[in-house]
Amino acid sequence: MSACADSFLFMSETITPFRIDIPQSDLDDLSARLTAVRWPAELPGAEWSRGVPLGYLKELVEYWRTSYDWRKHEAELNEIPQFTTEIDGQNVHFLHVRSPEPDAMPLVLTHGWPGSVVEFLDVIGPLTDPVAHGGVAADAFHLVIPSLPGFGFSGPTREAGWNTGRVAAAWAELMGRLGYQRYGAQGGDLGAFVAPELGRTATDRVVGVHVNAATFGFIPFGDVSEEERATFTDAELARLERLKDYLDDGGGYFQIQATRPQTLAYGLHDSPVGQLAWIVEKFKEWTFPAAELPESAVDRDLLLTNVMLYWLTGTAGSAAHMYYENMHAGTWHSSPATTPTGVAVFAHDVAIRRYAEYGNNITHWSEYDRGGHFAALEAPDLLVADVRTFFGPLR
């Protein structure tokens, strides 16, 4: 990968134009590793109950090796203006797409795990240029889409301590360097941690926070009594059941990344198939409907491009470290946030409004019967519409 030679100074800090240029030797190495996979045994009839099935993964790896064209997707990514800058000792990579509408609202979008900036490719056009996508000029946004520290071209991290609170402080610095003094924040998954933190960190500048795939701070903390459960709607009961299923059977990845990320890193950093399986399992389980293959909800090439950003940058381990950092940060807010907050609850999400209201200033709440954890990829039309609706009165 490389950056353009020229750079410019903005707010006394250097921001350098960036262009992805992966060495051919890295792609050749990947091809060799995909050709020489040492496949494990598999118990008969397990399907997805014990993890990614062998037959499915073999077929997906063969597609990756013989049909997927990284150079094509690299060129498409390079059509989007990209930059890097150093904040708090860490390299930060970000997309920066300004709207043709001069009065557009600045908006920082934050991805989660196991995602990347690739998550937002289908919403960039509608959000920055709504007129060209059947909308109105008043709904336009200038977009800043950073790679989380430790993820993709913002990684690996160089020191401990990069939890979501520190990321929020970095985003506040980044938006200031870009000259944005009044802006919105949106995020899903880890981004749904960062966006509310940014609202707390830069209360005088963040006009509103919008989240999807929201968990901590938007779900019950501990068990729910039978008395309270009796007051739940059917939709809330379904979300509570999904949350229980996750805690009982779907959170193994979380425990490993939050406790032993370095041990995990050796396998994921050395094996592209291991990295693929670690990510594709979550795309299968967290997309909607989860009973289908992940390609039913997310384009296969987009999924592989997302995986490539982890593999080519060697950031499987540093991305996992953010879970460790969050679980060991030891900081919990004791007072509710005041920034107006909007929540989009997609069909696979678990947020419940009564719990979200304990610590957030909820001014917008919407629920959808489609879309999953990766809403920007699965239901970009719904996410775009919800973001426009929430931020409309805040402009």
Side-chain angles (χ1 to χ4, degrees):
M1 67 204 78
S2 68
C4 297
D6 57 322
S7 61
F8 57 91
L9 291 177
F10 210 112
M11 302 283 289
S12 301
E13 299 289 347
T14 301
I15 296 177
T16 304
F18 180 85
R19 182 176 178 83
I20 305 170
D21 185 13
I22 299 300
Q24 185 59 41
S25 58
D26 289 0
L27 301 181
D28 293 341
D29 174 74
L30 172 61
S31 180
R33 290 170 185 263
L34 295 178
T35 301
V37 182
R38 185 170 178 246
W39 294 105
E42 180 185 47
L43 292 175
E47 297 299 327
W48 287 87
S49 65
R50 296 172 183 250
V52 183
L54 181 61
Y56 170 77
L57 197 62
K58 280 187 172 181
E59 191 275 328
L60 184 57
V61 167
E62 183 64 11
Y63 177 85
W64 192 8
R65 186 181 72 84
T66 62
S67 300
Y68 174 80
D69 184 354
W70 164 255
R71 293 301 186 198
K72 170 188 172 184
H73 296 286
E74 180 183 72
E76 290 174 351
L77 287 169
N78 280 331
E79 292 177 1
I80 305 168
Q82 300 175 58
F83 305 87
T84 59
T85 190
E86 185 171 306
I87 301 175
D88 195 9
Q90 177 63 33
N91 178 66
V92 174
H93 162 263
F94 61 99
L95 315 182
H96 185 198
V97 186
R98 287 188 58 84
S99 171
E101 305 297 338
D103 295 329
M105 171 184 282
L107 178 66
V108 56
L109 302 176
T110 307
H111 66 84
W113 183 91
S116 67
V117 295
V118 170
E119 288 187 50
F120 298 113
L121 295 181
D122 289 340
V123 303
I124 291 174
L127 288 176
T128 58
D129 193 1
V131 174
H133 294 81
V136 296
D139 286 332
F141 294 92
H142 299 308
L143 295 183
V144 179
I145 310 175
S147 297
L148 286 167
F151 289 67
F153 297 112
S154 286
T157 39
R158 300 168 181 169
E159 61 181 8
W162 276 100
N163 56 40
T164 49
R166 187 172 176 183
V167 173
W171 279 195
E173 172 66 19
L174 174 62
M175 296 301 278
R177 288 186 190 182
L178 293 171
Y180 296 135
Q181 298 303 315
R182 184 177 183 275
Y183 52 88
Q186 199 285 329
D189 186 75
L190 286 174
F193 286 64
V194 174
E197 284 289 338
L198 182 54
R200 291 175 178 270
T201 298
T203 305
D204 58 334
R205 287 172 280 167
V206 177
V207 300
V209 168
H210 183 278
V211 296
N212 64 284
T215 53
F216 179 77
F218 297 84
I219 57 176
F221 191 79
D223 295 332
V224 176
S225 69
E226 288 301 321
E227 291 79 9
E228 186 162 8
R229 185 189 294 261
T231 68
F232 277 25
T233 66
D234 288 344
E236 289 172 334
L237 287 171
R239 283 177 223 142
L240 193 65
E241 189 61 30
R242 281 199 297 276
L243 180 59
K244 182 179 184 300
D245 289 344
Y246 168 80
L247 294 173
D248 291 346
D249 191 54
Y253 80 96
F254 182 100
Q255 293 300 324
I256 294 172
Q257 297 194 151
T259 59
R260 299 294 185 271
Q262 188 61 37
T263 301
L264 174 68
Y266 298 112
L268 301 189
H269 188 84
D270 189 57
S271 170
V273 173
Q275 175 71 92
L276 175 64
W278 193 245
I279 288 179
V280 78
E281 177 193 289
K282 298 311 167 195
F283 271 83
K284 189 272 178 187
E285 292 185 345
W286 295 348
T287 50
F288 181 84
E292 304 298 329
L293 295 178
E295 296 96 313
S296 301
V298 177
D299 177 78
R300 177 177 276 197
D301 274 20
L302 274 177
L303 193 158
L304 288 171
T305 300
N306 180 68
V307 172
M308 288 288 273
L309 290 191
Y310 285 85
W311 175 257
L312 295 172
T313 59
T315 52
S318 60
H321 276 287
M322 187 168 287
Y323 283 79
Y324 184 96
E325 301 294 354
N326 284 341
M327 291 302 292
H328 293 80
T331 56
W332 307 98
H333 296 295
S334 57
S335 58
T338 58
T339 306
T341 300
V343 182
V345 184
F346 291 88
H348 192 273
D349 290 345
V350 294
I352 297 175
R353 181 163 188 164
R354 68 184 74 188
Y355 301 109
E357 289 179 338
Y358 291 157
N360 302 279
N361 177 20
I362 303 297
T363 61
H364 169 88
W365 187 276
S366 54
E367 302 180 4
Y368 299 101
D369 60 4
R370 63 181 173 93
H373 185 85
F374 306 95
L377 287 171
E378 298 178 63
D381 58 327
L382 296 182
L383 183 63
V384 166
D386 207 81
V387 167
R388 289 173 176 171
T389 299
F390 169 67
F391 283 106
L394 303 175
R395 289 178 177 271

